[in-house]
Amino acid sequence: MILDILLSSYPLFLKASWLTLKLTAVALLLGCGVGLVIAFFRISSSKVLNYIAHIYITVIRGTPLIVQIAILYFGISNLVTLSQFWAGAIALAVHNGAYIAEIFRGAIQSIDRGQMEASRSLGMSYPLAMRRIILPQAFRRAIPSLGNQFIIGLKDSSLVAYVGMQDLWGTGLSEAASNYRQLETYMVVGLYYLVMITIFTYFVNRLEGRLSTGRTPKKQPKDNSVAA
């Protein structure tokens, strides 16, 4: 019976899967921008910026995502006319930004302070040293945590269905309501999510492996030759 739903509804689910991927990609891209800014606020010497970042992270991490989506979606709609896609993407970006900010903050602070001091002693400005020296290393260290957060973001995107968006989960709800085969339909939807996350995990692991290549110096072969 699951095979019947797979064969009969795959064009609809493929279209919904593509929408889910686009929504997740846009939301995470915006979330990375928000997270990086908030991370700089967190490590800033300014108490005002640090306080703003602390309040933002506390509120976002302390309230359910579905509540945030509903508040942002209906709140934005009252101020500016946005499509469901962009309203959902902004809501997800705001949510993921809080977690990404902590990932970036931890990665930046894990870099030895001596590298920043050495860069400044060479005449680099703070922003230039951060961009050329600190951030590339911090990003490399953040890859595993970012990959996990991106996977969570992909699964969390299903909640936009509850504000009317026909993503993968929203399409699954509609199909289950029309064919009265809820269990089989939800299992098919879960299979689509599993395939997308498996593929994404594979590429994240490849990226992590590629960036880690060359970290450990190769051992030099022993010279067993005997001097004459």
Side-chain angles (χ1 to χ4, degrees):
M1 296 181 70
I2 295 178
L3 184 60
D4 294 339
I5 297 176
L6 275 172
L7 295 177
S8 62
S9 303
Y10 78 88
L12 193 61
F13 282 125
L14 286 177
K15 182 179 179 181
S17 299
W18 176 241
L19 179 60
T20 295
L21 289 174
K22 288 196 297 182
L23 175 68
T24 303
V26 172
L28 292 177
L29 184 62
L30 295 175
C32 283
V34 172
L36 188 58
V37 171
I38 297 299
F40 282 134
F41 284 8
R42 289 277 283 128
I43 63 177
S44 172
S45 58
S46 171
K47 292 184 178 180
V48 175
L49 296 180
N50 200 282
Y51 183 74
I52 292 173
H54 179 73
I55 292 298
Y56 168 76
I57 292 173
T58 300
V59 171
I60 296 300
R61 295 174 67 177
T63 54
L65 174 55
I66 186 63
V67 175
Q68 298 167 18
I69 291 176
I71 292 175
L72 288 172
Y73 175 72
F74 293 108
I76 290 174
S77 299
N78 288 331
L79 299 175
V80 181
T81 302
L82 290 176
S83 64
Q84 290 178 332
F85 178 89
W86 283 107
I90 292 173
L92 290 171
V94 170
H95 176 81
N96 284 282
Y99 295 90
I100 294 174
E102 289 295 271
I103 293 172
F104 280 144
R105 179 191 62 80
I108 292 172
Q109 292 183 331
S110 71
I111 306 300
D112 194 304
R113 292 183 178 180
Q115 296 197 37
M116 174 59 76
E117 295 173 357
S119 302
R120 297 300 301 275
S121 68
L122 293 174
M124 289 187 183
S125 63
Y126 180 86
L128 182 62
M130 182 65 70
R131 180 167 59 88
R132 289 188 176 181
I133 306 299
I134 305 300
L135 284 182
Q137 298 179 73
F139 177 75
R140 181 180 298 171
R141 295 187 181 187
I143 286 294
S145 299
L146 284 176
N148 290 333
Q149 184 59 41
F150 290 172
I151 291 172
I152 294 172
L154 175 58
K155 293 187 290 186
D156 285 348
S157 68
S158 61
L159 293 176
V160 299
Y162 294 104
V163 292
M165 189 169 178
Q166 289 298 306
D167 66 324
L168 182 56
W169 179 240
T171 301
L173 291 175
S174 300
E175 283 294 296
S178 62
N179 60 23
Y180 299 103
R181 296 159 66 180
Q182 284 83 0
L183 177 60
E184 295 90 340
T185 303
Y186 297 155
M187 290 178 68
V188 169
V189 172
L191 180 61
Y192 274 92
Y193 276 111
L194 179 61
V195 170
M196 289 190 295
I197 290 172
T198 300
I199 294 173
F200 183 79
T201 303
Y202 170 78
F203 284 111
V204 169
N205 291 337
R206 287 290 301 273
L207 177 61
E208 183 181 352
R210 178 170 296 183
L211 291 177
S212 64
T213 301
R215 285 186 186 177
T216 305
K218 295 181 180 179
K219 294 182 178 180
Q220 296 296 329
K222 294 181 178 179
D223 187 2
N224 296 324
S225 61
V226 180

